[in-house]
Amino acid sequence: MGIEGGLMNKKEFTETDIRTKYITPAIKNAGWDIQNQLREEYYFTDGRIIVRKKLTTRGKPKKVDYLLFYKSNLPIAIIEAKDNKHTIESGIQQAIEYSEGLKESAKHLDIPFVYSSNGDGFLEHDMITGKEKLLKMNEFPSPENLWTRYKKHKNIDQEQEKVIKQDYFYKTGMKIPRYYQRVAINRTIEAISKGKKRIILVMATGTGKTLTAFQIIYRLWKSKAKKKILFLADRNILIDQTMSNDFKEFGDKMIKINRNKISKAHEIYLGLYQSMTGSEDWQKTFKEYSRDFFDLVVIDECHRGSAREDSAWREILEYFNHATHIGLTATPKETNKVSNIDYFGEAIYTYSLKQGIQDGFLAPYKVIRYGLDKDLMGFRPSKGQKDKNDNLIDDREYNVIDYDKNLILEKRTQLVAKTISEHLKKTDRFAKTIVFCVDIDHANRMRMALVNENSDLVKENSKYVMKITGDDKEGKAQLDNFIDPASKYPVVVTTSKLMTTGVDAQTCKLIVLDSNISSITEFKQIIGRGTRVNEKYGKQYFTIMDFRGVTRLFADPDFDGEAIQDENFDTDNANNSEISDKNTNIENEDETNKKIKYFVVDVEVTISNKIIQYVNSKGELITESVIDYSKRSFTNQYPTLESFLNTWNSKKRKQVIIDELLEIGVFFDELKDEVAKDFDEFDLICHLVFDMKPLTKQERINNVKKRNYFAKYGEKAREVLNILLEKYKNQGYKDIEDIKILKLEDFRKIGNPSQIVKLFGGKDKYLEAVEELERELFIVLK
């Protein structure tokens, strides 16, 4: 029984026992404050959201057994516990191999020291030097030991340490920074403490750039490393949202710069660059402040203006060039004429959309791509054909680049609106939806078409469909209601450029692309409108309906990769960019190039093809059916029929296997819709994966009865088993595995639960009978 001298052998201890009896005491004895410096079972991701059709589930979140903090904002070590069957000395290679998994966690969390332990000692891996060593249980390092080693590795002096050790701002109920936000904050603080003057953080839309900026600013300000701070943005809504949300804790220390009323008595300034610059000197509000007034400038969405040397933002940055500059962006811009890297240097930290989806912090997406016949084949007017305004249409071939810009196929607009509306009717008619159009005129016409397709709901509330563009005061006034999760209306909005960025639409579930988008930066910003997760309001994923082939950009290596400076970037001539700075001011979106448009009303447009794509576990967009995905996922778990049957028969509860498959995205309800509803999960697997003949639940029940399996039980016990079979037929095996089923009305004529289990010889014997019943049900006839 593993008893030696009256004590249990350590080899018999579970991993939990090893932690409680050996590892935690060793940490405490080394001088760590168990209450404040240790987090056990520390989960640092939420688990990837897996989508199949309308169903979602979450994969396993990532965790470490122990995370040790030098201070609350400074994690410094990871410990992974193993039971004592795993050795350190004799199994060093295994420990090193296992430590690779630990090192991955350490890289995510930016942790310098990694340990594994089986209760006999510790294996230490130093992430900075790459060296390893074995330690006895009483040799685990103290907090000061690790911090001193870290400071020595990083050459941190006393003044720098004061800034680095400054706490976060925190009050009860406030969100604690996620792991990647903490990494971004700590790397930035450390770099600035060492004198770095230009820094860029690349963080995907929806990952909390502004909250990250707040904690950076707060710690630098509180430690007095920076005393006057300017936060720059290019849209009023971004400034106002920042002041009322993430920055509100600065209170009266904070002010929004006003051209008409200059104040210099505050410490945190927020400025709209359009209102701080202009062609005339009197418009250059920033010059009201001395060049050394600000010692920190933070630039939100820095890809839009400050990447170019001739931009208005750069004029402000050059003026305050002695200050430290931090750029924030989801989409760094790197072309042969525009470069964030040239100004800020390489990103100090990047948290990508792919990583955010993998961690479960960002919503995954599925893509429905439509091919319309006139988009694929083009349209050429007949000789002498006129449009509805009696304009002679130029005789040439028109294609998707022309539609809604030079030539309007009215039935195309109607078809797109109808397709969007049919999707909403099949899913959720009150799912917040953004339709991106070619221009304001197109947004107007699309709004009208959507109103006509949804007149029943528009009749109830005219704000069901709205146009929100830069020229529309009524529409812009409803923007806050659209992005407010608690506000029901507007539901469907059409737009052109106004909503491509800076709109925190937490519950946007549908993004429609009916605009010709070739810019990776613009595409990433648009996709970012849907990436936020809000489970309270049922937002776990979003759908992209693509009518222009825009989602081909997902395949572009630049879509979610590291920013790399264009090798042809010309530093000397970068300020001769052909891109007008006016194009970055989407707040005042208006019509340009107002040449004649042809309106064609009598040309039919149809859908030629439709493709549905999902994001897989590697973050790749794939075209795959529910059946193909399920088969591939399943065979990764169980490569042979024998391996599956062994596992199935060894589990006391079959639901454990089904739950594991759900975690990797095998949704049996969806499979039943595709194959046959009357098949059990077991038969779906055997049939789809291993090409076995499937049996319905009734056929399985009949086979059990034919084998006279019940004969060994008494009459009342057989009656119980018959009722369990009926429950299996109607509800599946999940319910029959739960002993609570005996409380149901069907069993009362036989007795209460305690009386029923006595019929089988007690609770354990009853559960054995249920297991045997399941084995009989799931016999495979090869």
Side-chain angles (χ1 to χ4, degrees):
M1 297 295 292
I3 302 296
E4 294 181 2
L7 297 175
M8 181 177 272
N9 184 346
K10 191 190 283 188
K11 298 289 185 201
E12 300 299 319
F13 285 147
T14 65
E15 181 187 301
T16 302
D17 293 331
I18 294 294
R19 279 197 232 162
T20 304
K21 296 176 183 295
Y22 298 96
I23 299 176
T24 300
I27 298 169
K28 185 176 181 180
N29 291 337
W32 295 84
D33 182 339
I34 300 300
Q35 294 286 25
N36 298 311
Q37 291 183 297
L38 180 149
R39 297 287 182 276
E40 198 169 350
E41 290 279 309
Y42 180 84
Y43 286 86
F44 59 93
T45 75
D46 281 356
R48 183 172 71 97
I49 299 171
I50 303 165
V51 182
R52 290 289 121 186
K53 288 194 173 179
K54 300 176 188 176
L55 298 181
T56 61
T57 189
R58 279 194 182 269
K60 288 183 178 179
K62 293 179 181 176
K63 72 176 179 67
V64 293
D65 289 335
Y66 294 89
L67 183 62
L68 301 182
F69 294 79
Y70 178 67
K71 291 195 69 180
S72 62
N73 58 325
L74 295 172
I76 197 166
I78 288 173
I79 306 173
E80 190 70 18
K82 305 292 283 182
D83 63 41
N84 201 249
K85 296 184 185 70
H86 295 80
T87 63
I88 294 182
E89 293 84 352
S90 62
I92 190 69
Q93 287 299 321
Q94 180 189 5
I96 291 172
E97 183 179 339
Y98 181 71
S99 75
E100 293 301 319
L102 288 182
K103 285 190 280 183
E104 276 305 305
S105 296
K107 286 176 184 176
H108 275 309
L109 294 166
D110 226 26
I111 304 297
F113 302 105
V114 176
Y115 300 86
S116 64
S117 176
N118 68 345
D120 288 339
F122 293 93
L123 174 69
E124 178 188 89
H125 181 95
D126 187 323
M127 293 290 290
I128 302 172
T129 65
K131 294 182 178 179
E132 292 181 344
K133 63 181 177 182
L134 290 167
L135 303 171
K136 296 177 181 177
M137 290 302 289
N138 63 358
E139 293 177 334
F140 191 78
S142 68
E144 288 303 326
N145 176 288
L146 291 186
W147 181 245
T148 300
R149 286 167 61 187
Y150 178 78
K151 287 192 297 180
K152 183 178 179 181
H153 285 321
K154 292 298 191 86
N155 296 313
I156 296 171
D157 63 30
Q158 194 170 356
E159 279 301 307
Q160 294 163 3
E161 182 180 14
K162 178 185 171 185
V163 179
I164 292 168
K165 287 171 66 174
Q166 176 62 51
D167 291 329
Y168 292 121
F169 176 87
Y170 179 74
K171 68 178 184 181
T172 304
M174 186 176 178
K175 289 181 180 177
I176 296 172
R178 291 170 172 167
Y179 85 85
Y180 62 85
Q181 293 168 336
R182 185 169 57 217
V183 172
I185 295 162
N186 288 348
R187 285 193 186 183
T188 303
I189 296 293
E190 186 172 313
I192 290 174
S193 76
K194 289 174 164 291
K196 188 170 176 62
K197 303 286 281 185
R198 302 291 181 264
I199 292 168
I200 187 168
L201 287 171
V202 179
M203 296 172 67
T205 301
T207 56
K209 290 191 295 295
T210 316
L211 176 62
T212 302
F214 164 73
Q215 291 289 5
I216 291 170
I217 292 170
Y218 176 83
R219 286 175 63 185
L220 292 170
W221 171 68
K222 195 69 176 175
S223 66
K224 295 183 170 45
K226 304 295 178 185
K227 298 175 182 176
K228 297 281 188 181
I229 294 110
L230 172 63
F231 182 89
L232 274 176
D234 72 342
R235 297 184 64 189
N236 257 316
I237 190 172
L238 295 178
I239 295 287
D240 295 339
Q241 283 179 352
T242 299
M243 293 184 72
S244 60
N245 296 327
D246 293 319
F247 279 32
K248 64 183 177 184
E249 306 301 341
F250 285 127
D252 60 6
K253 303 291 184 184
M254 171 177 62
I255 191 172
K256 182 177 180 179
I257 292 175
N258 185 332
R259 177 182 288 173
N260 300 316
K261 189 179 179 181
I262 299 297
S263 170
K264 299 181 182 179
H266 295 75
E267 295 173 57
I268 313 295
Y269 296 76
L270 291 91
L272 186 69
Y273 88 86
Q274 293 96 324
S275 70
M276 295 178 67
T277 60
S279 56
E280 304 295 332
D281 278 345
W282 65 269
Q283 296 174 316
K284 299 184 187 299
T285 308
F286 65 90
K287 291 189 175 180
E288 295 289 334
Y289 302 90
S290 64
R291 284 182 173 272
D292 59 358
F293 185 83
F294 295 110
D295 44 19
L296 174 64
V297 180
V298 179
I299 310 98
D300 193 27
E301 305 291 0
C302 66
H303 63 278
R304 285 213 291 272
S306 58
R308 283 200 336 281
E309 289 191 18
D310 66 341
S311 72
W313 282 15
R314 283 290 283 272
E315 186 179 10
I316 299 173
L317 297 184
E318 292 300 334
Y319 184 80
F320 299 117
N321 68 333
H322 296 297
T324 299
H325 297 168
I326 303 174
L328 306 172
T329 182
T331 51
K333 188 171 284 188
E334 297 301 326
T335 72
N336 61 354
K337 296 178 181 177
V338 180
S339 174
N340 282 119
I341 288 176
D342 184 64
Y343 185 80
F344 290 104
E346 298 286 342
I348 199 167
Y349 183 63
T350 297
Y351 189 73
S352 66
L353 172 64
K354 182 186 293 185
Q355 189 63 55
I357 292 174
Q358 195 71 21
D359 289 343
F361 297 129
L362 294 181
Y365 47 86
K366 66 177 180 179
V367 174
I368 308 174
R369 188 182 294 181
Y370 294 91
L372 308 186
D373 62 339
K374 295 302 183 291
D375 295 5
L376 300 173
M377 304 299 294
F379 163 73
R380 183 174 181 179
S382 58
K383 187 175 182 180
Q385 183 175 348
K386 295 184 177 181
D387 74 352
K388 75 173 184 178
N389 297 319
D390 208 33
N391 296 307
L392 181 66
I393 305 173
D394 283 351
D395 183 14
R396 68 177 180 86
E397 186 170 296
Y398 296 86
N399 56 39
V400 71
I401 301 298
D402 298 296
Y403 299 150
D404 300 296
K405 181 181 179 184
N406 306 313
L407 180 139
I408 289 89
L409 296 176
E410 292 198 350
K411 291 194 175 181
R412 184 188 184 282
T413 305
Q414 292 164 10
L415 176 62
V416 171
K418 182 179 179 66
T419 306
I420 295 167
S421 302
E422 286 177 347
H423 174 83
L424 291 171
K425 288 171 184 176
K426 289 178 183 175
T427 54
D428 175 7
R429 294 192 75 184
F430 285 89
K432 294 290 180 80
T433 300
I434 307 175
V435 184
F436 289 95
C437 301
V438 170
D439 55 22
I440 291 175
D441 173 59
H442 184 204
N444 263 320
R445 290 182 291 100
M446 184 61 71
R447 176 200 160 276
M448 183 182 297
L450 286 162
V451 164
N452 290 333
E453 290 292 336
N454 298 277
S455 57
D456 57 331
L457 294 181
V458 174
K459 181 174 63 176
E460 293 176 12
N461 191 309
S462 63
K463 292 184 176 65
Y464 179 79
V465 181
M466 293 200 74
K467 175 175 74 83
I468 299 180
T469 52
D471 70 329
D472 192 320
K473 289 183 180 179
E474 290 75 17
K476 285 169 69 176
Q478 290 297 319
L479 182 55
D480 284 346
N481 287 329
F482 179 76
I483 65 180
D484 180 2
S487 180
K488 190 173 184 178
Y489 299 100
V491 176
V492 181
V493 301
T494 65
T495 191
S496 174
K497 298 291 185 185
L498 183 64
M499 297 179 70
T500 56
T501 186
V503 177
D504 188 8
Q506 296 178 28
T507 54
C508 178
K509 292 183 178 180
L510 179 61
I511 289 175
V512 180
L513 303 173
D514 196 24
S515 178
N516 300 310
I517 298 160
S518 57
S519 161
I520 281 286
T521 299
E522 184 179 1
F523 177 60
K524 288 176 76 171
Q525 289 288 340
I526 287 173
I527 297 307
R529 300 315 102 211
T531 55
R532 286 165 176 78
V533 175
N534 190 321
E535 295 186 87
K536 178 182 176 182
Y537 288 91
K539 165 69 184 302
Q540 289 185 300
Y541 71 98
F542 67 106
T543 301
I544 303 164
M545 296 180 75
D546 181 10
F547 292 92
R548 304 256 178 168
V550 178
T551 50
R552 68 187 183 281
L553 292 173
F554 278 125
D556 192 306
D558 290 337
F559 173 71
D560 207 34
E562 295 286 336
I564 300 173
Q565 188 170 31
D566 191 304
E567 61 183 12
N568 298 315
F569 177 71
D570 187 348
T571 304
D572 295 330
N573 296 313
N575 59 354
N576 293 324
S577 168
E578 295 174 5
I579 305 172
S580 169
D581 192 52
K582 292 177 183 176
N583 291 337
T584 67
N585 185 7
I586 58 179
E587 182 79 20
N588 296 311
E589 168 193 21
D590 62 9
E591 294 288 289
T592 56
N593 301 323
K594 285 191 176 283
K595 61 183 181 179
I596 190 169
K597 289 183 179 181
Y598 302 113
F599 288 80
V600 182
V601 298
D602 55 355
V603 172
E604 295 295 330
V605 181
T606 61
I607 295 174
S608 293
N609 59 60
K610 173 183 173 183
I611 298 171
I612 299 177
Q613 298 174 299
Y614 296 89
V615 177
N616 69 5
S617 59
K618 298 178 181 178
E620 302 162 335
L621 194 63
I622 57 167
T623 305
E624 193 168 29
S625 70
V626 170
I627 291 175
D628 289 342
Y629 177 87
S630 300
K631 287 172 69 173
R632 184 172 52 79
S633 300
F634 188 87
T635 50
N636 286 338
Q637 296 282 99
Y638 305 104
T640 65
L641 176 62
E642 185 179 12
S643 65
F644 168 61
L645 292 177
N646 287 340
T647 304
W648 183 268
N649 291 324
S650 69
K651 295 288 185 183
K652 290 185 177 181
R653 293 182 64 251
K654 312 307 180 194
Q655 189 61 34
V656 172
I657 298 173
I658 303 305
D659 290 342
E660 288 173 353
L661 292 169
L662 281 170
E663 284 186 355
I664 60 172
V666 178
F667 295 114
F668 288 96
D669 287 345
E670 301 283 6
L671 281 173
K672 288 176 184 179
D673 285 343
E674 296 279 341
V675 184
K677 289 186 179 293
D678 200 34
F679 287 166
D680 195 295
E681 286 89 343
F682 178 86
D683 276 285
L684 279 172
I685 293 168
C686 290
H687 173 58
L688 291 176
V689 182
F690 302 113
D691 201 26
M692 304 294 293
K693 179 186 175 183
L695 298 177
T696 65
K697 291 176 185 175
Q698 186 61 60
E699 287 172 328
R700 290 203 169 276
I701 290 170
N702 293 341
N703 287 340
V704 170
K705 291 180 177 180
K706 286 176 187 176
R707 288 193 290 271
N708 203 23
Y709 152 70
F710 290 170
K712 61 182 177 180
Y713 294 103
E715 182 181 348
K716 285 193 173 182
R718 289 199 300 271
E719 195 174 345
V720 172
L721 293 172
N722 271 312
I723 295 172
L724 289 175
L725 284 177
E726 200 60 32
K727 292 296 179 187
Y728 160 73
K729 176 184 173 182
N730 296 326
Q731 295 161 260
Y733 52 79
K734 182 178 179 180
D735 286 339
I736 70 172
E737 290 181 340
D738 190 340
I739 198 169
K740 291 178 182 177
I741 195 173
L742 299 179
K743 294 180 180 180
L744 295 179
E745 182 74 31
D746 307 62
F747 295 95
R748 287 186 185 174
K749 60 184 178 182
I750 303 173
N752 62 37
S754 61
Q755 291 171 328
I756 291 173
V757 298
K758 282 181 182 177
L759 297 173
F760 294 85
K763 180 180 176 181
D764 290 343
K765 292 292 185 182
Y766 167 78
L767 293 174
E768 284 179 17
V770 173
E771 285 181 49
E772 190 176 1
L773 175 62
E774 287 187 320
R775 282 197 295 273
E776 289 291 323
L777 277 169
F778 300 120
I779 287 175
V780 175
L781 302 174
K782 298 183 182 181

